[in-house]
Amino acid sequence: MMNKILKSVIFSFVLCICIFNSTGVYAKYVRENTFMDKSGYRKVEEIKRFQALSNLPVTGKLDGMTNKVLYNQNMVVQDVILTPPTNGDWITVNTTTRVLTYYHGKSPIYKFPVTVGASDTPTPSAKGKIANMHKNPAWGGMGGKYSPALPDDPKNPLGERWMGLSIPGASGYGIHGNIKPHQLGQYASNGCIRMFNYDIEQFVFPRATVGMPVWIGTAQELKSWGVEQLVYEAADPSAVAEPKAQPKQDKPVETKYRAEELLVF
C-alpha cells in the first residue's frame, strides 16, 4: 500500500515538472523581453511590443506562438527583403499582424505594434509615401462626422505626432499617435495607423522624412512585393536571429512650427 502511494506521489511530482516546463515556468531558455517584470496594462503593452519584434500577430496575450518564441531558442525571427524601394529609410505596415516595421535598406531598425482600420473602414493597401509631418496637429473631425480638436487637446485622437500619407486614389490617411492605447493591435481605426505615443514620438517621427516610402498591405500582399516577415523554428540553433529590444535614442530635437503651418486633419 505504501509503495502504491509513493509511486503516485512521484508520478504527480514528475507530471508537475513536465507541465511547468511546457509553460516555461522552469524553462532554461527565456528570450530577451521587457514584460516579465511588469503587471497590468504595462505588461500587456510590453507583450504587444515583444510580439511586434517577433513578427507575431499583436494580441497582447501570451498565446501559443508567443510562448514558443519566448521559451524556444530555435525560433528564428527574420525579415527577407528582395528589392527595397530605397537603400535608405522606409516603412512597412503589415495589416495582418498589425506591425509597423522601420527599415534601412534591407535591415529592420524598429518594429512596433499598431492599430489599423476596422472592417468597415479598412486601412488601404498601397505603396505610398510620407507627404507631410506635423507635431501637435489639429484634427478636423472627418468632415463633420466628429467634433474637431485643437492641438494639445487631450481628446485629439491624433496624439501629438502626425505623418500624413500620399496614397494613390485615397486621401486623409496617416500614421499618428493615439488616445486609446488599449486598442493597439486591433482593427479599430477609421483607416489610419495608430501607434503608442512613446513609440512614434521617440523613435519613428524623429527619424522619418517627407517623401519616405511607406508600403501598407497584408502579409500576403507584402510578400508579393518582396517583403517577408517570418518567424519559424529552425533545426540549427546557430541560425537563430533573436529579436532585440528597441534601441535607446537621445531625446529628439524639437522642430518648431508656426501656427499657420499646422494642417487640420
Side-chain angles (χ1 to χ4, degrees):
M1 182 68 177
M2 183 61 68
N3 285 337
K4 288 184 179 180
I5 294 174
L6 183 60
K7 287 180 180 179
S8 177
V9 170
I10 292 173
F11 176 77
S12 298
F13 179 71
V14 172
L15 180 61
C16 286
I17 291 176
C18 292
I19 292 173
F20 283 143
N21 278 330
S22 69
T23 58
V25 175
Y26 291 126
K28 292 182 179 179
Y29 174 82
V30 180
R31 198 175 296 264
E32 182 181 355
N33 67 85
T34 56
F35 62 80
M36 282 191 165
D37 61 341
K38 306 291 193 306
S39 61
Y41 76 92
R42 293 290 188 192
K43 183 172 184 177
V44 173
E45 289 183 357
E46 293 307 317
I47 290 173
K48 290 178 180 180
R49 288 190 172 100
F50 178 84
Q51 290 170 327
L53 278 172
S54 304
N55 287 338
L56 296 172
V58 174
T59 64
K61 300 176 181 179
L62 289 174
D63 51 37
M65 275 301 294
T66 304
N67 275 316
K68 192 170 184 178
V69 172
L70 183 63
Y71 295 116
N72 186 343
Q73 62 183 330
N74 293 346
M75 294 302 291
V76 175
V77 178
Q78 181 181 25
D79 286 28
V80 178
I81 312 299
L82 298 181
T83 307
T86 174
N87 291 326
D89 292 357
W90 59 294
I91 287 172
T92 65
V93 176
N94 187 324
T95 56
T96 301
T97 57
R98 286 85 68 197
V99 174
L100 179 147
T101 304
Y102 194 112
Y103 291 100
H104 181 77
K106 294 183 178 182
S107 301
I109 306 301
Y110 308 125
K111 285 181 177 289
F112 293 113
V114 294
T115 304
V116 295
S119 58
D120 55 342
T121 53
T123 301
S125 297
K127 292 182 178 181
K129 62 182 180 181
I130 296 177
N132 53 69
M133 298 174 61
H134 291 280
K135 295 183 179 182
N136 302 330
W139 184 59
M142 297 181 63
K145 186 176 181 179
Y146 302 99
S147 298
L150 296 173
D152 294 318
D153 185 339
K155 295 182 180 180
N156 188 330
L158 304 183
E160 296 190 356
R161 296 295 184 272
W162 166 269
M163 302 194 307
L165 299 175
S166 174
I167 296 176
S171 62
Y173 295 98
I175 302 170
H176 61 82
N178 78 91
I179 55 173
K180 297 180 179 180
H182 62 282
Q183 291 184 342
L184 266 289
Q186 298 180 16
Y187 297 96
S189 78
N190 285 304
C192 284
I193 298 122
R194 304 177 192 162
M195 300 184 65
F196 282 124
N197 292 321
Y198 181 83
D199 295 346
I200 190 171
E201 291 174 16
Q202 298 297 317
F203 297 101
V204 175
F205 193 94
R207 184 163 179 163
T209 57
V210 171
M212 200 171 79
V214 178
W215 288 7
I216 306 169
T218 64
Q220 190 60 40
E221 288 170 327
L222 290 174
K223 182 179 179 179
S224 71
W225 299 339
V227 178
E228 285 193 88
Q229 297 166 336
L230 306 170
V231 55
Y232 59 93
E233 187 169 6
D236 180 7
S238 65
V240 173
E242 182 167 322
K244 302 294 184 181
Q246 306 293 357
K248 295 181 179 179
Q249 286 199 345
D250 296 331
K251 185 177 180 180
V253 177
E254 293 288 323
T255 302
K256 302 296 183 181
Y257 289 100
R258 297 189 304 273
E260 60 269 23
E261 290 182 298
L262 290 172
L263 303 181
V264 177
F265 303 104

